[in-house]
Amino acid sequence: MPQDLSPVPPTLAKQSESSPDHLPDRLSVELSNIARSAKESGVTFGELINRLQGRAYTLLLVLLPLPFCQPVAIPGFSVPFGVVIALLGLRFALRQKPWLPQRLLVLKIPAKVLPAILSAGAKLLTYLEKLLHPRVAWIFDYRLTQFLVGATIFASALLLLLPLPIPFSNMFPALTVVVLAASFSERDGLMLCVGGGLFLATLAFFGVLFFGGVEVFDWIRNIVQAKFASPPAS
């Protein structure tokens, strides 16, 4: 029999049974609210969890990987963010409430970093929300689905926290986490399958790096440098 998925964040299917006056905002709206309240002094991970309550899993698992959804790796941030995402993914898989060690709860995301994160997040979420719809929603009625999604997020976070100065090494696992978390929030089974495909692509990418070594790294670096290098001054 299908099982209840508490403490999974509210979903559109459940929202439709509630009064319209009590429908939770979409992810992009809540992200904008956080931006307005945190633009002056930054925000800690603990404050985010306390504010988001029932949607902490969804928003944190969408928000935290966003800075890494780009080809160029961000030095210094992937390790702490990867640890937080890994812990959240593990507890999500085990159907436990969001929890982080005190050392991570007091870790603050600087105000100067938030605008870039939230700007990228708003654009990506606006695009995703156009694609996300409740489809094949029955797949979310089983405990195994939540376990597999949480385990995949945990594995992706472990790859994300690897301090590799290699283009795309952050982007693939970060996109996997964002798509899986967003599809779970909107009960979109088709997008959940897309997230699974992204995870397989992530494993293939790291497999190529592992077996290809320096040659593959140099090839990827040359492509990225040619794409993003500034034009020579005239």
Side-chain angles (χ1 to χ4, degrees), residues 77-91:
F77 282 94
S78 64
V79 173
F81 275 57
V83 170
V84 172
I85 296 169
L87 290 174
L88 290 174
L90 181 60
R91 293 185 69 83

Side-chain angles (χ1 to χ4, degrees), residues 12-50:
L12 291 183
K14 294 181 181 179
Q15 293 170 19
S16 62
E17 301 173 0
S18 304
S19 169
D21 295 334
H22 296 86
L23 294 179
D25 292 328
R26 300 209 76 175
L27 299 182
S28 56
V29 176
E30 294 205 33
L31 198 61
S32 299
N33 293 336
I34 295 173
R36 285 193 295 270
S37 62
K39 63 182 179 180
E40 298 296 333
S41 60
V43 64
T44 66
F45 289 118
E47 291 168 349
L48 279 176
I49 291 177
N50 290 334

